[in-house]
Amino acid sequence: MKKTLFTMSLLFLLSFPLHADENVSLQALINTARQNNPEIKSAEKTYQSADYGITSMSAWSNPLVGYEFMKDDNRLYISQMFSFPCKLSYKKTSASNMAKALNQQLKQKILELDTKIKKTFWGYWLAYMNIDKYNENIVLMKESLEMAKSRYIVGKVTEADVLSATAELGRMQGMLVIAQYEMDAMCAQLNALMNKSPDESLGTPEKFEISDFNIDYAQLEKKTLNDNFGLAEKKYMYQGSLADSKFSTMEWFPDLMAEARISDMPEKTTYMAAAQVPLYFWNRVSEVRSKNSQAEAVRQTLESEKNSVRLALKDMYLQYNRNMELIKIYESDILPSANQAVQIAQSAYRTGKVDFQYLLDLQKKNLDFEIEYNKLTAESRMYYAELEMIAGGDIK
């Protein structure tokens, strides 16, 4: 008896709209996540660290300054090393490109976070819509069950009909519990992405109209190859590797050193110039070959990344189009026909023209169609979010 009361109480609470007085906006979730997500903050600091270090790559080494105390002469000496022209320029170019690569990596992480928020939000929306649909059909099924019981008493339906209706009601109630769990799980995931407690409530997902965005695939692919942050990161890494390779080649040329020893007696002031000669050329040969191989490896990685991105883009584009075509079929044919069939069957059942099992089957199919329609809608939004991530941002 206690178990029955607990189950009835749970279903009674689930039958009410959740957070009806609150609305949660997708854009608000994205903005909060960008501000609070620790992974984004970490990537931002990593980029800033590399960016601040660019200037030091083109700076001369610190001069050596000293003072000699001698018996009959004191001298101030200054020594400075000068890199061969272009060496520091290549070092700076390499560091600059690596910083730019990290900046693209930061932008990619932000876009990935946005995509996670969007996909999780649509999972949250799907669970919410399913809860609403199950509640609606539970009320309808309870009415059908009461009707079946009253007709069973007068012998117009069989006991099997009553049991079938009871079982179907139980199935819907079970699916309602599952949908509630899924909604709570999506809520916890969204809170985690925003660096909040998983127990915080979100409210009702904002309403939206399903839009079939007309996507020109040729333009989409062109935008992707230009704007994809992962590809841009690999391009900068390749350019940085080329600069490293050129710097390695420049190591064949000597660095210069100038020194001045300024004496208290002008005739004893001396000046000196020296060069650091790379005599051990075999070390240079190995270094140059190593840097060239690294640059070629990065170039091949870039080409491989292009192929992967184009394949992912095509696959996601096809999945999105498939879902949008199915949504159109559901909206124009399946859902209107299924709803009308239930209404006709209900009228026919009241007049005794169809049996109860026939009505029950139609109601079950109608619910399944509506749930599938919600799923297709949520998936299409998820696929669109994936397309935006692959393309490097907004594709409207």
Side-chain angles (χ1 to χ4, degrees):
M1 181 66 180
K2 287 182 179 178
K3 243 171 137 189
T4 304
L5 287 173
F6 174 77
T7 303
M8 291 177 66
S9 299
L10 176 62
L11 294 172
F12 176 79
L13 290 173
L14 291 176
S15 66
F16 284 94
L18 300 176
H19 314 292
D21 57 334
E22 300 176 10
N23 286 311
V24 56
S25 162
L26 174 58
Q27 190 57 51
L29 294 176
I30 291 173
N31 293 340
T32 303
R34 285 186 178 187
Q35 293 172 2
N36 299 339
N37 189 273
E39 188 176 357
I40 298 300
K41 292 180 179 180
S42 173
E44 186 176 16
K45 293 301 179 183
T46 301
Y47 160 65
Q48 289 176 354
S49 173
D51 189 49
Y52 292 147
I54 294 174
T55 304
S56 64
M57 292 295 105
S58 60
W60 288 346
S61 58
N62 292 326
L64 180 64
V65 180
Y67 197 84
E68 289 183 334
F69 296 92
M70 302 177 70
K71 184 176 180 181
D72 56 354
D73 184 22
N74 296 323
R75 286 188 290 182
L76 171 70
Y77 66 86
I78 303 173
S79 177
Q80 176 67 58
M81 288 292 298
F82 299 94
S83 294
F84 193 86
C86 294
K87 279 188 178 182
L88 294 180
S89 175
Y90 285 131
K91 286 181 69 176
K92 184 177 180 180
T93 299
S94 175
S96 175
N97 280 292
M98 290 305 172
K100 290 175 181 177
L102 288 173
N103 187 33
Q104 297 302 310
Q105 192 177 99
L106 168 62
K107 292 178 180 179
Q108 179 66 19
K109 285 186 177 295
I110 293 173
L111 194 53
E112 287 175 356
L113 175 63
D114 291 353
T115 304
K116 287 179 184 178
I117 288 286
K118 290 175 183 177
K119 292 175 69 174
T120 309
F121 173 83
W122 292 118
Y124 182 77
W125 174 89
L126 176 60
Y128 183 89
M129 295 299 291
N130 285 346
I131 287 174
D132 186 61
K133 192 56 62 179
Y134 289 139
N135 280 326
E136 179 183 319
N137 278 268
I138 283 172
V139 172
L140 181 62
M141 188 53 60
K142 285 180 178 179
E143 292 175 356
S144 298
L145 179 58
E146 290 303 317
M147 189 186 304
K149 286 180 178 180
S150 62
R151 293 200 168 204
Y152 171 69
I153 293 173
V154 297
K156 291 186 177 181
V157 299
T158 65
E159 184 179 6
D161 291 333
V162 176
L163 293 174
S164 293
T166 304
E168 180 60 18
L169 176 61
R171 183 179 80 95
M172 290 184 190
Q173 291 169 338
M175 294 170 76
L176 176 62
V177 172
I178 293 173
Q180 179 63 57
Y181 160 77
E182 291 173 346
M183 185 173 180
D184 290 341
M186 293 297 107
C187 177
Q189 288 184 35
L190 285 169
N191 281 322
L193 291 170
M194 294 185 292
N195 200 26
K196 292 183 177 182
S197 168
D199 297 327
E200 288 193 31
S201 61
L202 291 179
T204 305
E206 63 179 340
K207 294 182 180 180
F208 74 101
E209 293 183 2
I210 301 173
S211 301
D212 181 11
F213 300 113
N214 187 20
I215 301 174
D216 184 328
Y217 184 75
Q219 291 296 323
L220 178 63
E221 185 179 54
K222 182 179 179 181
K223 170 182 166 47
T224 299
L225 294 177
N226 287 332
D227 298 346
N228 180 275
F229 294 128
L231 287 179
E233 177 190 351
K234 297 294 188 301
K235 289 176 184 175
Y236 285 124
M237 290 180 67
Y238 174 56
Q239 291 171 8
S241 294
L242 286 179
D244 281 340
S245 179
K246 291 177 180 177
F247 173 77
S248 177
T249 303
M250 293 299 297
E251 287 285 77
W252 288 99
F253 298 95
D255 291 330
L256 305 176
M257 189 211 36
E259 182 178 288
R261 293 180 179 269
I262 304 171
S263 172
D264 292 339
M265 294 178 285
E267 66 274 10
K268 290 188 176 182
T269 296
T270 60
Y271 300 94
M272 183 188 72
Q276 190 178 45
V277 182
L279 293 178
Y280 306 110
F281 61 89
W282 53 87
N283 291 336
R284 290 290 93 229
V285 171
S286 298
E287 181 70 12
V288 170
R289 287 176 177 174
S290 174
K291 293 298 182 181
N292 287 340
S293 295
Q294 288 179 19
E296 180 60 19
V298 175
R299 189 182 74 82
Q300 294 299 331
T301 301
L302 173 60
E303 291 302 313
S304 176
E305 184 73 9
K306 283 182 182 178
N307 291 331
S308 298
V309 166
R310 293 175 71 180
L311 178 60
L313 181 71
K314 185 66 175 181
D315 179 62
M316 200 55 57
Y317 174 78
L318 292 173
Q319 291 192 66
Y320 172 75
N321 279 353
R322 177 203 63 194
N323 270 39
M324 294 311 300
E325 289 298 321
L326 289 173
I327 286 173
K328 290 176 183 176
I329 294 172
Y330 269 80
E331 290 178 340
S332 61
D333 299 324
I334 297 176
L335 292 181
S337 299
N339 284 326
Q340 189 175 5
V342 170
Q343 293 173 8
I344 293 173
Q346 287 173 337
S347 299
Y349 176 69
R350 292 188 182 94
T351 58
K353 293 180 180 179
V354 299
D355 60 29
F356 183 74
Q357 193 61 50
Y358 177 78
L359 172 61
L360 194 63
D361 288 343
L362 287 180
Q363 289 177 340
K364 180 180 177 181
K365 288 180 180 178
N366 187 46
L367 173 61
D368 291 342
F369 288 145
E370 290 175 331
I371 295 300
E372 182 63 24
Y373 173 76
N374 287 342
K375 181 182 177 183
L376 288 169
T377 301
E379 284 181 347
S380 71
R381 299 301 93 194
M382 293 178 187
Y383 294 151
Y384 191 81
E386 289 277 0
L387 281 174
E388 288 188 313
M389 182 179 72
I390 296 171
D394 189 13
I395 59 177
K396 290 181 183 177

